[in-house]
Amino acid sequence: MGKLFVTGFGPGNPENMTYACRQALEAAEVIVGYSGYVDLVKPLYPSKTYMDTPMMGEVERCKEALAQAAAGFTVAVVCSGDSGIYGMASLIYELSETAAPGEKAVEIIVIPGITAAASGGALLGAPLSHDFVTISLSDLLTPWELIEKRLAAAATGDFVLCIYNPGSIKRHDYLQKACDILLQQKAPDTVCGYVKNIGRPGEEAFVTSLAQLRNTKVDMFTTVFIGNSRTREIGGKMVTPRGYFHD
Ligand code: SAH
């Protein structure tokens, strides 16, 4: 019986890949993932067997990974960032629950990775030093009404927000719609930031206001940060005070 690692490899640069992730990829005979992600790890481990067809959906890919592990191979399913945060780890467990007896017995090992909130936050400064929520604006798997409800609830609680999947070609106005909901409760000058292509060519970080963010075009390689009422700009960085008293 093989092992199935589910591992996030961080934002994309090798320095931000954890040691445990590297060990899992070294141990793996078969590496499975979306081709855009697999392209990032292939140069590090060129001699592995890859299953990375762009056409295959997530469910089919994860089923195939379980089948390969049940057949005795050591398999790694790769995701960007962390595999448990908008990643494949939950789907692997769900599929193993209903799988054939052989696949049910596969040992699943989740390896943590540096999620975009952490890697993007570091580039912006220290935006997540107090209570925060992550919300994905993708309505492919979640009804938009529920996303709206969660945005409003986060604003009511004065949480810092970290927004994943803020937009794409099809969903070009979703960030604008989200900002409009937040602006009902948050000040237009709330300090915000966004980071593009973390750990990849074209990496860029911007600090802005909520009013300006509303009119900003973002793509699917962007993570957005919206401050709480105490978040400030310090030397061009986005900083949410932890609350320490100091001079
Ligand atoms: N499992 C991933 C998240 C996958 S959802 C993680 O833990 O980071 C995909 C979204 O994550 C993207 O739309 C973007 O908002 C964010 N993201 C992931 N990698 C990124 C990167 N290298 N640069 C900027 N944003 C990234």
Side-chain angles (χ1 to χ4, degrees):
M1 181 62 57
K3 272 186 189 163
L4 179 50
F5 292 104
V6 194
T7 179
F9 56 75
N13 51 338
E15 308 90 281
N16 279 339
M17 196 181 273
T18 65
Y19 187 67
C21 174
R22 297 206 74 133
Q23 282 181 315
L25 294 179
E26 268 159 36
E29 295 159 281
V30 182
I31 298 180
V32 181
Y34 163 63
S35 53
Y37 294 161
V38 162
D39 287 348
L40 294 168
V41 297
K42 236 181 209 170
L44 301 173
Y45 302 100
S47 59
K48 305 283 178 182
T49 301
Y50 286 91
M51 294 177 48
D52 59 340
T53 49
M55 307 310 274
M56 221 199 278
E58 284 85 356
V59 175
E60 287 71 26
R61 246 194 328 260
C62 288
K63 276 187 177 167
E64 189 54 35
L66 272 168
Q68 294 283 328
F73 293 104
T74 301
V75 182
V77 172
V78 292
C79 319
S80 74
D82 180 85
S83 64
I85 300 177
Y86 310 117
M88 290 296 115
S90 51
L91 179 58
I92 291 284
Y93 279 112
E94 289 173 64
L95 292 173
S96 77
E97 191 183 20
T98 50
E103 293 179 10
K104 259 193 181 131
V106 166
E107 186 187 358
I108 299 167
I109 302 160
V110 179
I111 309 282
I114 300 181
T115 190
S119 54
L123 288 170
L124 280 171
L128 305 179
S129 293
H130 213 288
D131 300 335
F132 70 97
V133 297
T134 67
I135 296 181
S136 165
L137 295 192
S138 171
D139 60 355
L140 291 175
L141 304 172
T142 307
W144 178 253
E145 296 70 41
L146 181 58
I147 297 171
E148 284 191 340
K149 201 168 146 184
R150 289 182 175 164
L151 287 164
T156 304
D158 196 23
F159 286 96
V160 177
L161 286 93
C162 181
I163 307 274
Y164 285 67
N165 297 301
S168 65
I169 295 164
K170 269 192 191 158
R171 297 182 293 108
H172 63 94
D173 60 344
Y174 279 31
L175 181 61
Q176 188 175 23
K177 290 200 279 184
C179 289
D180 285 341
I181 291 165
L182 298 174
L183 280 163
Q184 290 174 14
Q185 299 184 71
K186 291 172 88 72
D189 63 354
T190 299
V191 175
C192 295
Y194 58 99
V195 195
K196 295 182 168 186
N197 304 306
I198 307 161
R200 302 180 194 175
E203 177 183 273
E204 275 183 300
F206 303 86
V207 177
T208 183
S209 67
L210 183 53
Q212 282 178 335
L213 184 68
R214 184 192 177 277
N215 301 319
T216 301
K217 293 266 166 289
V218 289
D219 60 19
M220 58 187 288
F221 302 109
T222 307
T223 302
V224 172
F225 296 74
I226 295 160
N228 68 17
S229 57
R230 307 191 65 193
T231 304
R232 295 194 291 131
E233 187 175 334
I234 300 180
K237 297 289 184 179
M238 179 179 178
V239 179
T240 301
R242 178 85 197 279
Y244 293 113
F245 289 105
H246 56 83
D247 300 331

